[in-house]
């Protein structure tokens, strides 16, 4: 469904590329862990996929269509298919928890009735029932992160891109979130998770793509966080 | 999975959102409205001054007289009739030579004996005094009257008319320049304020785009909000101007000056001014928002 | 571990920081300076108009004449001498009765024969025309001259003087009101702009406090920045005003109107105005910043 | 050195307190892990210690002085003794990496020469040499987090308070950061770390204080992330 062809991304004021000559195929329904040291380029790959940034060179396909040539309208439609969890949360400061999650559905033009049904379910899944009225500034780190996750899953996306979804969450919550992604994946949603949670990666034995200095150094079908060849 | 970019649900959402946003950004809304109020007060104040100055000048102009000196043998009644039917004449008065002498005596000094000049010895001619409807047409009018039979000589304050016309032209230019500058300044101010207020939500707009929100979906609440802000600002400006102006009018009416400087209180002139301000303010707010968020709407 | 709250290292840091900050916030600096420029341009423009209006009125006033009618037996030379030594008299002209008649004939119409009134038959008295240095003192002056031996009657445009004085008073009030409003508006605008610009760095200020930065340490770069911004804004305003005013002056000088409306070009009047604006702008910027960050400085 | 006496903190719009009746003594030179599920009140305790927020009831002492009665000047002086790593980083957006770290020293009024010496050393310790000129918006999540750590350690503080210092950092970097804290602690600095990194907590066998719903449920001198009694 997704294909990277020799994608390189160099940021303006940086001497070596954040992502270097990456080629990669992701099939529909896959569950992928993106691992690698800090600064390896995981978030950059997520941002490329989300078309938040454009590759410096190379091609990037989504169901045979080149993302790079998308019009603005295409991009919006494309993003509505994706549930993205950002490493820096990116919650709407002016909206409370409920409104933040509901916003993902408002954008799709769903009816108020449907929204009132779906939002509480999503909040329940990430364990935030009771925090609906809190504003982002009133949340703990882990709570804010889970609002981001609820916002991504509430719209039943085609693809879930989760960048470090458990960085601020405790052990039990992390396990639960991974289980959540797993069950969503079992229903056919493609899931890509960038993470440092080595124990969960090891335990789940999914496809693991390891990056180092912007290059893919490992791509195993059933791998761990740091499996040796 | 077909998605529409904006539907009826979205519209309802946008409307609700504008209201919530105004409520939550109360302080910023207030400041922005305040800036619009100040700008438009100054601008509206200038307009009022311009309207009143125009009135004063017209007042002075309409007092400019044409003096028509007649031959001794002239038919005053016929000339009176002709004057009354002449386009551009506001009114005309006949001044017989006796009255002319009397006025002259008064203007010199009552104590001076001019008795020897009365009756047959009166060296002055009969004359008409004519007021025109507008100062500009006085020269034209004078030329026409000169052609009447029985008219020896026509005279008017050429110099005064000339100066008045120049002053009017000059004032018009000055007002045009000042009000254009002010208008530009006000627009600049309002746009900047809205832009800064949008700037503080730049991040939010970015996030909305990431979630797949279309430009109209993001823009609509901002524009509504901008219009409400503009409208609030203008209303305050109108209120301030109204109160200040009313006080000035009352003050002037009490002063003996009232005759010389008659403030415009005609609702036919003031109401369009008010409505114009309100429309301008509302549009400025809305358009200002629209233009300001434009730069933040790139995907 | 003894720590001082502000030392020489910190001062150096603050100075460097202000410069870096202006450079990095270029756009915001520009907008803020722009708003100050607009506000002060309007304000300065009003001041220029006020200065010029004052000049015009003084011009008109100084043309107000006192007419002094003499008895036939009066000693004109003695009166002339007395007038020349009277405080408040700008100049005086003697008009013998023959000249008076001539002027009267001209004012009526050359064509009217007044030959019978010349010489012994002349009914007019000799008179002096006196101009005062200021319009206000004319009534006082007239009263004094009335007491001179040989003066039969003193006359001046009581009505004109009265109106002029009222108009002057009125204009002064209007200008005071408008310029106070404008000044308030300008201060409000500038403060708001700076406040919004500070608001956008609220987070940064908070973080600085968390790192143990003292209020002066945080404030100092902001105030310096504000002063530079205020100064930039005022300079632009002065430039705009200067260019526009210069063009107007040139335009007016070409017009025949020049005599009637003589623009003030005296550097002695204009320079303090300019310097005043610069000082006001710089202070406004600095004080504005100071007041604006005050509310964000709580620990 | 630090003492909590029956400290309770209730946020305005919350029905149950974030920290409830906590009593606690921390001696000079201790190394403490603060653990507990997301929303347990770890960050709240950190913020109380940093005097970012005030307790609703209870007393809080620093070397026999009640923090609650500190004047503004006292607070500033107190904070200069502390190296705080914030869960949400709190970098100065307008300053680049070097300037962010240097700022901690500028505040102390240290000389430009000293600053030029110390900053590169701190950046080296967290592995950020080469990123000096980058602005916070140009950093990866882990890099931003490490700038926060460098800023905290550069001033040789009396106490280090680190809230989730390794949430966005990979396994190796996390280990290295913990080692860094350990060595700083060995030089006499008191270190308090709130974290979800259970493996590191388990491995290091330091004092562990476990929170749950704002209450201390465990306080072991040499404990693990989830040691049973
Ligand atoms: N906007 C930017 N401008 C310049 N350089 C950037 C920008 N964003 C990221 N980089 C650099 O690109 C490299 C890769 O960043 P990226 O965010 O992809 O890392 P990552 O694998 O997500 O790391 P982490 O696990 O710490 O989040 C880093 O060295 C980072 O400093
Ligand atoms: N400013 C605030 N206003 C209202 N409630 C708040 C505020 N800050 C935190 N809370 C609430 O207090 C509780 C404790 O928050 P705290 O940040 O201390 O948790 P934490 O242990 O740090 O969690 P995490 O591991 O997710 O960071 C949470 O339920 C949170 O929602
Ligand atoms: Mg990342
Ligand atoms: Mg926390």
């Amino acid at each position: 469904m997704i294909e990277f062809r020799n994608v390189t991304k160099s940021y303006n004021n940086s001497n070596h590329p954040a992502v270097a000559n990456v080629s990669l195929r992701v099939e529909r329904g896959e569950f992928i862990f993106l691992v690698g040291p800090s600064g390896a380029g995981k978030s950059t790959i997520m941002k490329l996929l989300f078309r938040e940034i454009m590759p410096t060179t190379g091609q990037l396909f989504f169901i045979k269509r080149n993302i790079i040539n998308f019009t603005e309208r295409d991009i919006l439609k494309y993003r509505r298919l994706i549930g993205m969890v950002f490493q820096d949360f990116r919650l709407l400061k002016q909206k409370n928890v409920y409104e933040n999650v509901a916003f993902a559905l408002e954008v799709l033009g769903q009816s108020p009735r449907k929204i009132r049904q779906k939002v509480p379910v999503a909040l329940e899944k990430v364990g935030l029932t009771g925090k609906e009225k809190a504003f982002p500034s009133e949340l703990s780190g882990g709570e804010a992160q889970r609002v981001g996750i609820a916002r991504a899953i509430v719209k039943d996306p085609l693809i879930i891109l989760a960048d470090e979804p458990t960085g601020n969450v405790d052990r039990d919550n992390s396990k639960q979130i991974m289980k959540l992604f797993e069950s969503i994946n079992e229903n056919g949603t493609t899931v890509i998770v960038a993470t440092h949670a080595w124990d969960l990666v090891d335990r789940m034995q999914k496809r693991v793509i390891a990056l180092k200095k912007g290059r893919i150094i490992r791509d195993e079908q059933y791998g761990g966080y740091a499996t040796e060849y | 999975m077909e998605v529409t970019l904006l539907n009826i649900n979205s519209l309802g959402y946008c409307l609700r959102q504008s209201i919530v946003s105004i409520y939550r950004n109360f302080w910023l809304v207030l400041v922005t409205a305040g800036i619009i109020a100040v700008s438009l007060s100054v601008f509206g104040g200038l307009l009022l001054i311009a309207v009143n100055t125009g009135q004063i000048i017209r007042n002075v102009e309409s007092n400019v007289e044409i003096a028509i000196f007649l031959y001794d043998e002239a038919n005053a009644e016929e000339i009176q009739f002709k004057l009354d039917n002449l386009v551009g004449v506001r009114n005309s008065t006949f001044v017989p030579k006796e009255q002319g002498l009397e006025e002259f005596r008064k203007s010199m000094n009552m104590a001076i004996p001019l008795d020897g000049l009365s009756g047959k010895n009166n060296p002055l001619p009969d004359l008409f005094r004519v007021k025109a409807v507008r100062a500009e047409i006085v020269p034209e009018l004078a030329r026409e009257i000169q052609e009447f039979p029985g008219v020896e000589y026509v005279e008017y304050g050429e110099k005064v008319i000339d100066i008045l016309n120049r002053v009017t032209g000059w004032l018009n230019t000055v007002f045009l320049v000042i009000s254009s500058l002010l208008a530009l300044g006000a627009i600049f101010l309002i746009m900047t304020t809205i832009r800064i207020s949008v700037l503080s939500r730049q991040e939010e707009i970015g996030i909305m785009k990431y979630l797949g929100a279309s430009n109209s979906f993001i823009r609509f609440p901002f524009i509504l909000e901008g219009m409400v802000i503009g409208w609030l600002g203008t209303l305050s400006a109108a209120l301030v101007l109204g109160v200040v102006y009313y006080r000035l009018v009352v003050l002037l009416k009490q002063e003996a000056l009232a005759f010389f400087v008659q403030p415009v209180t005609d609702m036919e002139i003031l109401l369009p001014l008010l409505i114009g301000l309100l429309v301008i303010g509302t549009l400025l707010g809305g358009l200002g928002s629209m233009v300001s968020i434009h730069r933040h709407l790139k995907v």
Side-chain angles (χ1 to χ4, degrees), chain A, chain B:
Chain A
M1 183 163 62
I2 296 165
E3 188 181 351
F4 281 67
R5 261 191 224 154
N6 305 318
V7 171
T8 295
K9 171 69 188 177
S10 304
Y11 289 107
N12 287 337
N13 27 12
S14 189
N15 23 20
H16 47 78
V19 162
N21 200 33
V22 162
S23 294
L24 181 65
R25 282 181 68 93
V26 178
E27 299 307 327
R28 181 174 285 223
E30 274 197 288
F31 194 119
I32 297 180
F33 281 118
L34 221 55
V35 301
S38 176
K42 302 181 294 299
S43 295
T44 302
I45 285 199
M46 290 296 204
K47 286 176 186 163
L48 283 167
L49 261 173
F50 194 56
R51 213 199 180 277
E52 185 181 328
I53 54 178
M54 292 272 273
T56 313
T57 62
Q59 306 298 318
L60 221 167
F61 295 92
F62 170 72
I63 317 185
K64 302 255 145 52
R65 289 194 59 197
N66 197 336
I67 289 181
I68 293 162
N69 302 328
F70 273 9
T71 64
E72 181 160 348
R73 206 184 153 90
D74 288 334
I75 295 171
L76 293 185
K77 282 186 172 181
Y78 173 65
R79 283 188 183 157
R80 290 179 191 181
L81 301 175
I82 299 178
M84 176 93 183
V85 179
F86 300 92
Q87 188 168 11
D88 49 0
F89 314 160
R90 305 206 187 159
L91 302 180
L92 297 162
K93 276 181 301 198
Q94 315 240 4
K95 295 188 197 295
N96 63 30
V97 168
Y98 183 94
E99 291 166 343
N100 260 287
V101 177
F103 189 79
L105 299 176
E106 315 272 14
V107 162
L108 299 179
Q110 297 203 356
S111 72
R113 205 169 45 77
K114 238 184 177 173
I115 293 174
R116 272 196 299 277
Q117 278 172 6
K118 284 184 174 174
V119 175
V121 175
L123 285 175
E124 222 247 283
K125 279 183 185 159
V126 297
L128 281 181
T129 308
K131 286 278 166 198
E132 290 86 354
K133 290 239 155 61
F135 283 85
S137 63
E138 301 166 356
L139 296 175
S140 83
E143 286 163 355
Q145 192 156 48
R146 285 178 284 156
V147 175
I149 295 170
R151 185 176 63 183
I153 62 170
V154 74
K155 61 184 181 182
D156 304 318
L158 196 63
I159 307 173
I160 283 185
L161 302 176
D163 195 355
E164 198 70 61
T166 60
N168 289 275
V169 175
D170 58 290
R171 196 177 184 179
D172 292 343
N173 258 315
S174 299
K175 276 185 203 159
Q176 211 170 308
I177 287 164
M178 286 301 179
K179 264 191 207 132
L180 186 61
F181 285 147
E182 208 170 5
S183 81
I184 291 171
N185 173 246
E186 272 157 18
N187 292 329
T189 301
T190 310
V191 177
I192 305 181
V193 180
T195 188
H196 295 302
W198 60 273
D199 50 330
L200 298 172
V201 176
D202 282 346
R203 175 204 299 257
M204 286 171 75
Q205 289 292 313
K206 302 287 187 186
R207 180 173 170 194
V208 172
I209 297 170
L211 289 167
K212 194 170 178 182
K213 292 194 174 149
R215 296 180 184 279
I216 296 183
I217 55 163
R218 182 161 58 92
D219 185 349
E220 283 180 294
Q221 208 52 38
Y222 305 97
Y225 183 79
T227 334
E228 307 294 322
Y229 282 108
Chain B
M1 192 164 158
E2 177 54 19
V3 283
T4 53
L5 283 177
L6 205 62
N7 67 11
I8 184 73
N9 289 329
S10 308
L11 274 178
Y13 174 77
C14 286
L15 260 167
R16 267 175 287 128
Q17 219 38 51
S18 323
I19 297 164
V20 172
S21 176
I22 288 174
Y23 175 75
R24 288 202 186 139
N25 295 291
F26 186 71
W27 194 73
L28 207 62
V29 165
L30 216 71
V31 165
T32 316
I35 285 187
I36 293 178
V38 170
S39 311
L40 289 186
S41 292
V42 171
F43 187 64
L46 193 83
L47 279 185
L48 279 180
I49 293 177
V51 166
N52 277 290
T53 310
Q55 167 117 332
I56 291 173
I57 287 176
R58 242 170 291 120
N59 231 5
V60 173
E61 279 184 358
S62 61
N63 280 318
V64 169
E65 280 180 353
I66 306 175
I68 303 163
F69 299 94
L70 306 184
Y71 286 116
D72 281 349
E73 64 275 15
N75 184 345
E77 275 167 37
E78 191 195 320
I79 292 173
Q80 175 86 64
F81 178 78
K82 275 185 159 177
L83 285 174
D84 288 347
N85 287 306
L86 197 62
V87 178
V89 169
R90 200 151 59 95
N91 65 42
S92 56
T93 332
F94 179 64
V95 183
K97 59 171 85 174
E98 291 76 28
Q99 192 181 332
L101 189 66
E102 187 60 24
E103 283 177 11
F104 172 65
R105 181 164 34 213
K106 271 189 194 150
S107 83
M108 294 301 349
N109 182 357
M110 297 265 272
I112 300 171
L114 288 173
D115 302 332
L117 298 174
S118 58
K120 274 265 174 157
N121 284 334
N122 191 336
L124 300 173
D126 291 335
L127 57 82
F128 275 100
R129 290 218 179 88
V130 166
K131 285 185 180 177
V133 290
R134 264 173 307 121
E136 298 106 87
I137 61 164
V138 165
E140 171 68 25
L141 219 54
R143 223 170 305 121
E144 269 181 66
I145 295 170
Q146 179 73 71
E147 302 304 313
F148 289 5
V151 169
E152 186 189 357
Y153 190 78
V154 172
E155 205 192 55
Y156 60 91
E158 284 191 53
K159 245 184 164 170
V160 174
I161 293 275
D162 194 49
I163 286 177
L164 267 183
N165 281 340
R166 279 166 185 279
V167 168
T168 313
W170 189 72
L171 277 181
N172 279 343
T173 313
V174 167
F175 273 129
L176 202 77
V177 169
I178 294 182
S179 50
S180 313
L181 282 179
L182 264 184
L184 276 179
I187 290 173
F188 175 73
L189 278 182
I190 293 169
M191 297 276 285
T192 308
T193 316
I194 297 176
R195 179 167 297 169
I196 291 178
S197 113
V198 168
L199 202 70
S200 72
R201 298 209 231 154
Q202 188 174 15
E203 218 185 305
E204 306 260 325
I205 294 174
I207 296 174
M208 290 178 179
K209 295 292 293 195
Y210 288 142
L211 297 175
S214 65
N215 286 347
S216 20
F217 189 77
I218 297 174
R219 222 188 249 132
F220 193 60
F222 272 107
I223 293 175
L224 263 187
E225 201 184 324
M227 285 174 76
V228 171
I229 292 173
W231 189 80
L232 278 178
T234 322
L235 213 65
S236 327
L239 219 80
V240 168
L241 278 181
V243 169
V244 169
Y245 192 64
Y246 179 75
R247 299 224 107 201
L248 269 180
V249 167
V250 168
L251 214 97
L252 279 178
K253 283 261 157 90
Q254 289 170 345
E255 284 266 340
L257 243 129
F259 182 76
F260 181 66
V261 186
Q262 259 180 325
V264 179
T265 49
D266 232 344
M267 266 307 141
E268 270 164 58
I269 300 173
L270 295 182
L271 210 63
L273 227 148
L274 183 74
I275 293 170
L277 270 185
L278 276 178
V279 170
I280 288 175
T282 313
L283 280 182
L284 261 183
L287 285 177
S289 293
M290 203 158 116
V291 173
S292 299
I293 57 169
H294 185 71
R295 63 165 59 205
H296 300 297
L297 286 179
K298 282 161 237 139
V299 170

